[in-house]
Amino acid sequence: ANTMYLNPAFTGLTYENRFALNYRNQWPGIKNGFSTYIASFDHNMSHLHSGVGFFAMQDVSGTSNLTSTQFGGNFAYSLRLNKYNEVRTGALISIVQRKIDNSRLVFNDQLITGSPLSLDAQNIQQINFADLGIGGVINSENYWLGIAIKHINQPNTSMNGGNSTQAMYYNVHGGYRFNLSGQKT
């Protein structure tokens, strides 16, 4: 439900400043499930036919507290087709940090040697990487249709010094506004 994170082309879509807070607790019945927090702010610059926005997100999951923290900025540009329709394009750039709490895990070499520290765990390090994305939306008075592509730079997300590129993520989304009151808004 966070439009700026879904597609950067939604940045600055409203004519006011917009601030959003989102929280998601996925699988609450499982101990140490996924918890995600995101805060975003965007501003419409109608005189420039564009919008700018910023977001911060943190996702914590599992017994090891695998934590991903992301800070990003979005830019969107709008091209008005007529009074009721526009095409919007957007881009995002962010910095991501991933880390894991190895002290909460038990590795095979600890069981074999009885050592309190694992050699395997020592190879896992905190990582930082840049992440890029783009998006587009056709927006009208009654409907919208968009596509977003994230991780277009396919960053290396390996935490042990190897090479594990993150696959590109494609998202197609849309909606239709139903007027239930019968009055024009």
Side-chain angles (χ1 to χ4, degrees), residues 122-136:
Q122 292 174 7
N123 293 333
I124 300 173
Q125 302 295 320
Q126 171 183 306
I127 60 166
N128 300 302
F129 57 89
D131 199 4
L132 305 173
I134 57 173

Side-chain angles (χ1 to χ4, degrees), residues 75-151:
F75 176 79
Y77 183 78
S78 173
L79 176 62
R80 179 110 358 231
L81 301 175
N82 57 39
K83 185 176 179 181
Y84 301 108
N85 299 296
E86 68 178 334
V87 173
R88 300 181 62 85
T89 60
L92 77 86
I93 184 169
S94 64
I95 299 296
V96 181
Q97 177 188 79
R98 264 199 202 133
K99 60 185 177 178
I100 194 168
D101 183 0
N102 292 327
S103 67
R104 302 179 76 155
L105 300 174
V106 177
F107 293 84
N108 281 340
D109 63 337
Q110 289 174 288
L111 297 173
I112 294 169
T113 64
S115 172
L117 298 174
S118 169
L119 294 175
D120 293 331
Q122 292 174 7
N123 293 333
I124 300 173
Q125 302 295 320
Q126 171 183 306
I127 60 166
N128 300 302
F129 57 89
D131 199 4
L132 305 173
I134 57 173
V137 172
I138 297 171
N139 187 41
S140 80
E141 188 176 74
N142 294 321
Y143 66 90
W144 63 95
L145 179 63
I147 184 169
I149 306 170
K150 295 185 181 180
H151 320 305

Side-chain angles (χ1 to χ4, degrees), residues 47-86:
H47 63 288
L48 297 174
H49 308 285
S50 59
V52 293
F54 305 95
F55 67 90
M57 182 184 78
Q58 185 169 64
D59 181 69
V60 180
S61 59
T63 302
S64 64
N65 283 337
L66 174 61
T67 304
S68 296
T69 305
Q70 184 174 9
F71 296 97
N74 291 5
F75 176 79
Y77 183 78
S78 173
L79 176 62
R80 179 110 358 231
L81 301 175
N82 57 39
K83 185 176 179 181
Y84 301 108
N85 299 296
E86 68 178 334

